[in-house]
Amino acid sequence: MQTYDIVIIGGGPAGLAAAISARKTGVESILVLERDKELGGILNQCIHNGFGLHTFKEELTGPEYAYRFVEQVLAENIEYRLNTMVMDISSDRVVTAMSKEDGMYQIKAGAIILAMGCRERPRGALNIPGYRPAGIFSAGTAQRLVNIEGYLPGRQVVILGSGDIGLIMARRMTLEGAEVKVVAELMPYSGGLKRNIVQCLDDFGIPLKLSHTVVDIEGKDHISAVTIAAVDDRGKPIPGTEERYSCDTLLLSCGLIPENELSRTAGVEMNPVTSGPIVNESLETNIPGIFACGNVLHVHDLVDYVSEEAGRAGNAAAKFVMGQLPADKGKPVEIKACDGARYTVPSTIDIDRMDDKMTLRFRVGAVYKDSYVSVYFDDERVMHNKKRIMAPGEMEQVILLKDKLVAKPHLKTITVKIEAQ
């Protein structure tokens, strides 16, 4: 059996940043396993700009951002294997992998970093009525067809869902000569970044219809039209609001799901809200030595935050294998999200193990205007920051300082909530 100090599953932006951080912390024996034919992950097909403003203080395209990290991996001589599928992870950190060249083999890891990213919610999970014809794509599949394979999926397009990939593909298809007739969104708010709504829809005159969904698909061999309708507050279509659009393409951008089948088989405890692992201040799961970062942990809005988070995971995994991560005392401080805050990452903090400051990230469950992000140490409010607007499509964060927590030796719970005043 092969052995490595750290095995990283996924060679996208999270996996690469984690590998570089672990190497800089002092670990030499690192292996990155990537199922695609090249490093970089999903960023290779994201040819639009807007990446790197936080990390590199300049605006880059997705491939440019990814290659900044690929260059560092190459410079550090970090080992990686492409076209390699990880089949299984055991709770004692044995990785079973397979490739055409090497067949199936096993690797014993001192620590494992989960960085598999996320996938799109498929049509089968959306319960859309109508026929099942050709011409229906996830937005990410369409993005790959256009940007990498060089194919245009269609010329008359309807998009269901206003996630960031769907918004970006509305612009991309328009620039390639297609007509995007409408973007329909089931929720009363968009699931994407505000800047993408402005730059991808408003700038091109593409209508966004909130509280709408597809209620019928026409065409047996190939899609010929869709009907959308307004929905009530329970998501039920409202009779008499139907609108029919002839089209040859329907793109689905209805949410992303962390890719955690491997995590579950290993016994990693999952968060039902994020569909990602429950982690502590070191981004370590309930299984010692298995860490998680990036979109496999929770879906991010900016890749810059993925890289930052992955750097923390790589550093913590390196300290774990070098015996420098303090032992878990077994009495961590619980972090609760309530009253508008849907979840937090991490979910617990061991104050002795945390850095001098830690970024706590979360998302809200609705649109809030002129409201406050409040943090409570048990029953004492210690933070009360006003935000002009908060929306589910954009991640929020608060900074926790270690010295403030150390001053509360009997602290049991940290609570994050949204308050009106």
Side-chain angles (χ1 to χ4, degrees):
M1 184 181 295
Q2 304 172 37
T3 60
Y4 285 85
D5 285 341
I6 297 177
V7 174
I8 300 170
I9 303 174
L16 298 178
I20 294 162
S21 175
R23 173 56 57 84
K24 290 181 177 178
T25 305
V27 174
E28 292 295 322
S29 175
I30 302 171
L31 175 64
V32 179
L33 299 175
E34 168 56 47
R35 67 184 178 184
D36 207 348
K37 62 183 179 181
E38 56 193 352
L39 296 174
I42 197 67
L43 290 186
N44 291 325
Q45 69 184 50
C46 300
I47 64 173
H48 53 280
N49 59 2
F51 302 92
L53 291 171
H54 296 271
T55 305
F56 299 110
K57 309 305 179 188
E58 59 180 307
E59 196 170 37
L60 304 171
T61 64
E64 288 173 323
Y65 184 94
Y67 195 65
R68 295 281 178 97
F69 286 91
V70 172
E71 285 183 311
Q72 294 181 60
V73 166
L74 298 176
E76 295 285 349
N77 289 317
I78 295 173
E79 186 179 347
Y80 62 90
R81 297 177 190 174
L82 303 175
N83 300 305
T84 300
M85 181 70 72
V86 174
M87 309 302 294
D88 182 66
I89 304 170
S90 69
S91 58
D92 57 351
R93 302 192 296 276
V94 174
V95 178
T96 302
M98 183 170 63
S99 69
K100 183 171 65 176
E101 292 77 16
D102 301 320
M104 187 173 287
Y105 56 93
Q106 291 187 314
I107 306 165
K108 176 63 176 176
I112 295 173
I113 300 177
L114 307 173
M116 296 89 74
C118 60
R119 57 184 167 84
E120 294 177 282
R121 184 171 280 110
R123 177 185 174 169
L126 300 176
N127 298 319
I128 304 173
Y131 290 106
R132 267 49 176 174
I136 302 174
F137 303 86
S138 69
T141 299
Q143 186 181 57
R144 182 176 181 88
L145 287 172
V146 174
N147 293 347
I148 294 183
E149 308 295 339
Y151 296 105
L152 187 64
R155 295 194 173 275
Q156 293 185 311
V157 184
V158 171
I159 299 177
L160 175 61
S162 60
D164 287 312
I165 305 174
L167 298 175
I168 288 164
M169 282 310 296
R171 176 178 63 185
R172 190 77 182 95
M173 295 290 283
T174 301
L175 292 173
E176 289 296 331
E179 178 189 3
V180 179
K181 297 193 170 184
V182 68
V183 176
E185 169 58 56
L186 177 68
M187 304 303 290
Y189 50 79
S190 171
L193 294 169
K194 178 65 176 177
R195 73 183 191 195
N196 285 334
I197 298 171
V198 173
Q199 295 173 3
C200 301
L201 299 187
D202 296 350
D203 288 357
F204 291 88
I206 300 170
L208 170 63
K209 298 208 169 190
L210 301 175
S211 298
H212 279 69
T213 193
V214 171
V215 295
D216 190 31
I217 295 174
E218 299 177 33
K220 289 189 177 180
D221 295 326
H222 198 284
I223 187 171
S224 59
V226 300
T227 300
I228 69 171
V231 298
D232 59 23
D233 54 6
R234 294 178 297 167
K236 185 178 179 180
I238 301 172
T241 63
E242 296 85 359
E243 298 175 70
R244 183 180 181 275
Y245 293 87
S246 60
C247 63
D248 59 17
T249 307
L250 173 64
L251 300 187
L252 306 176
S253 180
C254 303
L256 300 169
I257 306 168
E259 194 78 80
N260 271 301
E261 283 72 14
L262 288 172
S263 312
R264 291 187 183 93
T265 60
V268 171
E269 188 177 352
M270 311 301 290
N271 185 321
V273 178
T274 64
S275 297
I278 295 173
V279 295
N280 62 17
E281 73 294 326
S282 301
L283 301 181
E284 187 178 24
T285 67
N286 60 300
I287 301 178
I290 298 184
F291 301 78
C293 60
N295 284 347
V296 80
L297 178 56
H298 60 131
V299 177
H300 292 61
D301 51 358
L302 298 179
V303 73
D304 301 75
Y305 295 154
V306 168
S307 301
E308 177 189 323
E309 183 178 271
R312 287 171 51 200
N315 175 264
K319 289 180 177 178
F320 177 86
V321 299
M322 293 189 297
Q324 297 176 3
L325 199 62
D328 189 345
K329 292 185 176 181
K331 291 185 179 180
V333 177
E334 181 184 3
I335 305 175
K336 290 184 177 179
C338 63
D339 297 343
R342 297 185 64 232
Y343 70 89
T344 66
V345 172
S347 302
T348 61
I349 297 177
D350 186 321
I351 298 173
D352 293 331
R353 287 161 53 115
M354 72 177 285
D355 295 331
D356 290 339
K357 67 177 182 178
M358 188 189 71
T359 301
L360 188 70
R361 292 200 166 96
F362 65 96
R363 286 184 189 267
V364 294
V367 176
Y368 293 90
K369 296 181 178 180
D370 295 321
S371 298
Y372 293 83
V373 175
S374 298
V375 177
Y376 287 78
F377 287 178
D378 289 332
D379 296 326
E380 178 189 359
R381 190 167 71 185
V382 297
M383 198 177 299
H384 193 56
N385 298 332
K386 187 173 184 178
K387 298 279 293 186
R388 191 181 68 81
I389 190 165
M390 290 179 281
E394 304 197 24
M395 215 154 43
E396 302 293 334
Q397 65 180 39
V398 294
I399 305 296
L400 298 180
L401 301 178
K402 184 171 184 174
D403 58 357
K404 300 290 185 183
L405 296 172
V406 170
K408 301 282 185 179
H410 303 296
L411 180 63
K412 294 182 179 179
T413 305
I414 297 172
T415 303
V416 179
K417 62 174 68 175
I418 309 303
E419 296 182 318
Q421 57 184 12

